[in-house]
Amino acid sequence: MGKAKTIYVELDIRAGMDALWNRTQTPEMHEKWDLRFSEIRYLAKRTPDEPQRFLYATRIGFGLRIEGSGVTRGSIEEASGRRTSVLRFGSDSPLSLIREGGGFWRYIPHEDKVTFMTRYDYTTRFGPLGHLADRLVFRPLIGWATAWSFDRLRLWLESGIPPSVSFGRWLVHVCGAWLLALLWMYQGIVPKLIAPEAGELDLLRAAGWFSGWERGALAVLGLAEAGFGLLIGLRSKDRRVHAWAAAALVVLAIPALLADPDLWASPMSPIVLSGAMLGLHGTVACMSEQLPSAGRCRRRPGKDC
């Protein structure tokens, strides 16, 4: 297996250079938006010209945390206004897949924005197994976390949305969208494809539609619902998808009520489920804007890197 690609992320941020520099070079600010770190602490310098040493920690759940240390130095290219911050980092923690690494942050000013970019790489521990885990899982994940964090920083600077708020909105949106996706897929697969005799087939027969072709029609409907669930998960920010879903829920409820008007009062009423799903679709759609997205970042270096 060849050498893994370095991680590169680039994003244009419509903010002043000093504001961006402050949010990225001040530990108390940096740890607010960067998903990769829970704590960052600068150590006191012995001399003004000494590189800045720092300690960092990342909580990984269940009371566990990975700790490490590093050194960074910033510079300003006076003629162009560009700024660069280079760093080295590493961890002796037995839980850390990263042994040591290094990279840089670069700030390129324009008239109304700053191009903010990073490029870094690292070595891993745990031998060939660690290298494989890094290539298949960890490196794509930390690359995504870097890009997602850059966009969360952008929202903070451009729109004034605090990182904690944007994270909460993103989490509610993602969880709500995939809950809806799973509900649609379950309703399409289980009662329509796996166990149609449990009640769905009888409802379709009672409605009098597709006489003699009820089983086939139910299978087609089940596949359509399962596919629509997947679409909701993948296109959760598209409000049109949620509008189509709301219309489909209403249309699907009509034949069920026509076939059995007492459904609205049954203990496990599908009408109640449809109503709850309608409300959840509205919530997810309303929270689909101003969310951090790794997809806004460029992941391949250009001529400036």
Side-chain angles (χ1 to χ4, degrees):
M1 186 177 292
K3 187 180 185 299
K5 292 182 179 180
T6 59
I7 295 172
Y8 178 84
V9 176
E10 176 185 327
L11 182 64
D12 292 332
I13 299 178
R14 297 188 180 280
M17 176 69 80
D18 290 338
L20 178 57
W21 184 264
N22 179 58
R23 300 283 171 92
T24 56
Q25 296 294 325
T26 306
E28 294 79 9
M29 296 289 188
H30 183 184
E31 64 188 27
K32 289 179 182 295
W33 60 264
D34 201 329
L35 199 61
R36 298 167 297 172
F37 303 104
S38 303
E39 301 172 22
I40 304 171
R41 181 164 62 90
Y42 278 180
L43 301 178
K45 291 184 178 183
R46 293 186 290 258
T47 65
D49 295 332
E50 181 184 16
Q52 178 65 65
R53 299 185 180 276
F54 62 91
L55 302 176
Y56 67 86
T58 302
R59 289 189 291 269
I60 58 176
F62 307 103
L64 301 175
R65 51 189 267 154
I66 293 173
E67 297 180 342
S69 62
V71 58
T72 181
R73 183 189 291 274
S75 67
I76 301 175
E77 301 176 25
E78 297 293 345
S80 64
R82 294 186 180 190
R83 302 185 186 186
T84 301
S85 174
V86 296
L87 75 156
R88 297 287 303 176
F89 56 89
S91 175
D92 294 326
S93 171
L95 296 175
S96 175
L97 180 61
I98 294 177
R99 185 185 300 276
E100 61 180 7
F104 65 82
W105 283 357
R106 183 164 293 156
Y107 310 69
I108 304 175
H110 305 280
E111 288 187 3
D112 60 345
K113 65 184 179 181
V114 178
T115 299
F116 182 42
M117 65 179 70
T118 185
R119 189 171 189 171
Y120 63 95
D121 201 1
Y122 52 83
T123 59
T124 60
R125 46 171 50 92
F126 310 128
L129 185 60
H131 182 66
L132 181 63
D134 176 58
R135 289 290 299 272
L136 297 180
V137 180
F138 185 77
R139 190 170 292 256
L141 183 61
I142 199 170
W144 172 87
T146 304
W148 187 92
S149 297
F150 270 37
D151 200 46
R152 180 158 67 150
L153 172 64
R154 179 191 64 82
L155 287 171
W156 192 14
L157 285 164
E158 292 184 356
S159 303
I161 302 175
S164 59
V165 173
S166 61
F167 177 80
R169 288 172 56 89
W170 173 83
L171 187 62
V172 169
H173 176 86
V174 171
C175 290
W178 279 101
L179 175 58
L180 283 168
L182 291 173
L183 285 170
W184 275 96
M185 286 188 278
Y186 175 87
Q187 290 296 321
I189 294 171
V190 176
K192 294 179 177 64
L193 299 178
I194 297 177
E197 301 291 350
E200 290 274 358
L201 199 56
D202 290 337
L203 283 173
L204 197 58
R205 286 171 177 157
W209 297 0
F210 310 105
S211 180
W213 297 88
E214 291 89 354
R215 189 175 294 274
L218 196 63
V220 171
L221 181 59
L223 290 172
E225 287 188 7
F228 195 61
L230 186 60
L231 177 65
I232 291 169
L234 298 176
R235 303 276 298 178
S236 62
K237 294 181 182 179
D238 191 336
R239 293 189 173 187
R240 294 172 299 177
V241 172
H242 297 288
W244 297 337
L249 285 169
V250 173
V251 170
L252 289 171
I254 292 174
L257 282 173
L258 291 176
D260 186 358
D262 294 330
L263 275 178
W264 69 273
S266 64
M268 301 295 291
S269 174
I271 307 304
V272 174
L273 175 61
S274 296
M277 290 176 67
L278 279 170
L280 191 53
H281 272 295
T283 300
V284 172
C286 287
M287 303 189 72
S288 62
E289 295 183 347
Q290 298 281 48
L291 297 178
S293 173
R296 289 192 180 92
C297 297
R298 294 179 286 276
R299 303 297 305 276
R300 295 179 181 275
K303 62 180 181 179
D304 291 319
C305 184

